[in-house]
Amino acid sequence: GAGSVANTPEAGDVEYLAPVTIGGQTVNMDFDSGSSDLWVFNTQLSLNTLSGHMAYNPAQSSTFQLLPGSTFSISYGDGSGAAGNVGTDTVNIGGATVTGQAIELATDVSTSFVTDTQSTGLIGLAFSKLNTVKPVQQKTFFDNALATLPEPVFTADLRHNAAGTYEFGAIDSTKFSGPLAWTPVNTTSGFWQFTSQAFAVGGGAPSTSVPGGQAIADTGTTLMLADQSVVDGYYSQVQGAVNNATVGGVTFPCSATLPDLQIDVGGTMATVRGDDINFAPVDQTGTTCFGGLQATTVQPQIYGDIFFKSNFVAFNGGNNSLGVAPH
Ligand SMILES: Cc1cc(CN)n(C)n1
C-alpha cells in the first residue's frame, strides 16, 4: 500500500529528516533522491561515534539477515562518506513496506555525519544503478516497492522551517496548486536528470542558452547549484551581491529584496521564490546573507532543497518522469 511520512527540516533547512522503521526500530533518516544507498548508524560503531545518535541494532531485529561478504562504500558531492557491511531487513515508511531491503551498516562515517546527531543515515531514492554494494549491487527502497505501490511514484513536499511530507504510491493533489508539469527523465546517469536550459529573473526575458542544459532533482543537497550563467544573470539583479571567496559563494545584504527565479524544467518554467534564495546570514549581526543559489562548474546542475521549497515534485518510476508544480 501507499505510505506517507512527515519530514522535518533541520535548523536552517540544511536537510530534511523523516522516520523510517527498520526491523521494528524507527529512526530518522535523510531522504536523498541524489543517491541510491540506504545506510544507517548502527551498534557496530564506536560509542564515541554513536554519541547523541539513534542507532539500528540488527541483533534486536528478528527479521535481520546478514549478507555475508557484502560491503558498501559511498562518497557524496560534499565530500562526506560512509562505508561498512550489509544485511537485509523489513523497511516500513509510513505504511509502504518492503521485505528483504538491503540495509547498509556503516562501520565508518565521515565527520559531518558524526556531528549531525539528528540523522541516523540516508535512504537513497535515485536509480539502483548507482548503488555501491559489492559484490552484488542492491536495489533502493523505491525500486523494491514499485511493484506493490498503488502508483509507481514517490513525492517530495519540502517546506521552509515547517513540516512537509514524503509520500510513496500516491500523489496528493492538495499539496500543490495547478497541474503537475511532467518532464521525461534521462536515467543514464542514475540520477533523476532532466533538461534545464533556460532561466529568467523576476519575470524578465528568458535566456535560453544555459551551457550543458541538464539538471538533477536532489532532495539530499541543501542548495541549488546552477551554471555560472544562471548565477551571474540572477545576482546581477540583486543590489550588493558579491562573490565572497571568504565564505565560498555569493553573498548579499540580508535586507536585499530578492527577485523570483524562473528556471526551465523540461520545457516548463518553474519558479523559485526570491525569499527562498535568501538562505542564511553568514555573520552574527545578520547583515550579510548567503545565497541559496550558487554556481557549479560541473554538469549536471543540482537542484536541491532550495528548489523543492518552492516546488512540489513527483518522481514517477513507472515511466521515468518528473512532475513539478508550485506549492
Ligand atoms: C550526504 C549528502 C547527500 C548529498 C546529495 N546527494 N550530498 C551533497 N551530501
Side-chain angles (χ1 to χ4, degrees), residues 22-190:
I22 307 172
Q25 301 171 40
T26 301
V27 292
N28 293 326
M29 298 189 68
D30 181 1
F31 287 36
D32 180 13
S33 64
S35 67
S36 306
D37 284 52
L38 191 168
W39 69 264
V40 283
F41 274 73
N42 63 92
T43 42
Q44 293 175 101
L45 290 163
S46 70
L47 289 179
N48 279 347
T49 300
L50 284 173
S51 174
H53 282 268
M54 301 172 84
Y56 167 70
N57 183 348
Q60 291 294 313
S61 168
S62 61
T63 41
F64 174 79
Q65 285 194 305
L66 185 69
L67 276 178
S70 285
T71 60
F72 82 98
S73 178
I74 191 164
S75 52
Y76 299 97
D78 60 2
S80 62
N85 42 51
V86 187
T88 61
D89 207 338
T90 300
V91 175
N92 180 329
I93 303 179
T97 300
V98 164
T99 56
Q101 171 65 43
I103 309 294
E104 300 170 33
L105 306 171
T107 54
D108 194 19
V109 294
S110 62
T111 313
S112 61
F113 290 121
V114 176
T115 52
D116 180 13
T117 53
Q118 297 311 301
S119 172
T120 318
L122 267 77
I123 173 165
L125 297 168
F127 292 88
S128 297
K129 71 192 308 187
L130 294 180
N131 178 266
T132 74
V133 174
K134 294 188 166 107
V136 179
Q137 191 175 51
Q138 299 296 309
K139 289 185 175 182
T140 68
F141 171 83
F142 181 51
D143 226 354
N144 283 322
L146 265 180
T148 62
L149 292 174
E151 292 175 48
V153 299
F154 73 92
T155 66
D157 164 30
L158 305 185
R159 295 164 187 265
H160 165 61
N161 199 31
T165 308
Y166 282 116
E167 188 151 15
F168 292 86
I171 295 176
D172 179 351
S173 58
T174 69
K175 294 276 172 46
F176 54 90
S177 37
L180 285 169
W182 291 97
T183 176
V185 160
N186 180 341
T187 65
T188 309
S189 64

